[in-house]
Amino acid sequence: GEGGGGEGVDWRESVSWPFEPLCAELRCSLFHSRWERRHGAGAGLRAVLRAHGCSAGSVGGVRACVRDELRGQWLEDCALRLLAVLALDRFGDWSAGDRVTAPVRETAAQALAVALRSMEAGCAAQVVRALLTMSREEAWEVRHGALLGIKYCLPAREDLLPELLPLATPSLLQALADDDDDVRAGAAASLLGVASHLEALVPSRLPRLLGALWDALASVDDLTASTASVMG
């Protein structure tokens, strides 16, 4: 628009979604060999979807039901690519000490959560189920990426927590006892994001969750990655 912003613009009048060329390049760059490009692609998609997720993939001249279906297909495709990044990316920065910083997986998880806000409830729930499956994979980087996704996706869809939180709790309990300290930190951070809902939605699991957190606390020291998350 002439004002330079996208607020109030009706994309239904456009032949195609104006951000499609940019997002097509970003989706491809998610799998670039350089981690900086992958990180930037995730950040770019996160920014576009945060502002325009409700119009993602829209085209003009079609009925509303067709437009909604196209948007759903576009968001599902984007979510699948972001899940693939969480499963495949292996870049980690250890310069901060014992705790790994995974900028590509972190940004992909954030972009995935933003995409979930505009997805149909059933599709959003399927994404979370995929993350829970990934959280049980053998490679610690995959488990770590899955827990990053869970950390951001559960709070993004509070309307689905009555269904998803009881489903996620067993996987989070298992991750709290993981051999890898960064995975345990991811599990604790995921619980921290939904802590206010635990008593209401998973009351029968609360004693086990508290026990697992205490066990995790007993196994960490001031230098381990999970200390901050467990103490939170």
Side-chain angles (χ1 to χ4, degrees):
E2 293 181 0
E7 298 299 327
V9 177
D10 189 352
W11 303 123
R12 291 174 295 183
E13 301 302 321
S14 302
V15 175
S16 61
W17 192 45
F19 297 100
E20 180 54 38
L22 171 63
C23 287
E25 182 175 348
L26 293 174
R27 292 197 302 271
C28 289
S29 294
L30 286 172
F31 303 100
H32 197 274
S33 59
R34 292 181 60 85
W35 74 265
E36 295 94 342
R37 285 283 296 273
R38 300 196 301 274
H39 177 253
L45 284 171
R46 180 187 62 195
V48 172
L49 290 173
R50 181 175 289 150
H52 304 292
C54 290
S55 64
S58 297
V59 297
V62 298
R63 290 177 297 173
C65 61
V66 175
R67 188 168 57 249
D68 291 343
E69 183 177 350
L70 291 173
R71 183 182 69 244
Q73 291 175 355
W74 193 99
L75 290 168
E76 286 181 42
D77 176 78
C78 189
L80 286 171
R81 292 170 188 263
L82 292 166
L83 285 169
V85 173
L86 292 175
L88 297 173
D89 188 80
R90 295 293 184 268
F91 177 74
D93 182 3
W94 300 89
S95 61
D98 288 344
R99 184 169 187 172
V100 67
T101 300
V104 178
R105 296 197 292 273
E106 188 91 28
T107 308
Q110 293 170 355
L112 183 61
V114 174
L116 251 65
R117 293 176 182 170
S118 301
M119 293 178 72
E120 295 291 333
C123 294
Q126 286 181 343
V127 170
V128 174
R129 290 190 179 95
L131 290 169
L132 294 174
T133 299
M134 288 166 54
S135 73
R136 298 186 290 271
E137 288 295 314
E138 182 177 353
W140 76 266
E141 295 95 340
V142 180
R143 301 197 302 275
H144 181 252
L147 289 163
L148 286 174
I150 293 168
K151 177 179 74 171
Y152 290 110
C153 287
L154 288 182
R157 291 302 300 258
E158 288 193 351
D159 58 313
L160 299 179
L161 282 181
E163 172 191 353
L164 296 179
L165 192 53
L167 196 66
T169 301
S171 296
L172 294 176
L173 278 167
Q174 181 178 342
L176 281 172
D178 198 275
D179 292 335
D180 186 87
D181 192 54
D182 290 294
V183 174
R184 295 198 302 271
S190 297
L191 286 169
L192 191 62
V194 293
S196 61
H197 301 276
L198 292 174
E199 185 175 3
L201 297 180
V202 286
S204 62
R205 299 273 189 174
L206 199 55
R208 286 194 62 194
L209 286 169
L210 293 175
L213 286 169
W214 276 112
D215 290 342
L217 185 60
S219 67
V220 302
D221 56 43
D222 289 343
L223 297 178
T224 58
S226 58
T227 301
S229 294
V230 173
M231 290 296 289

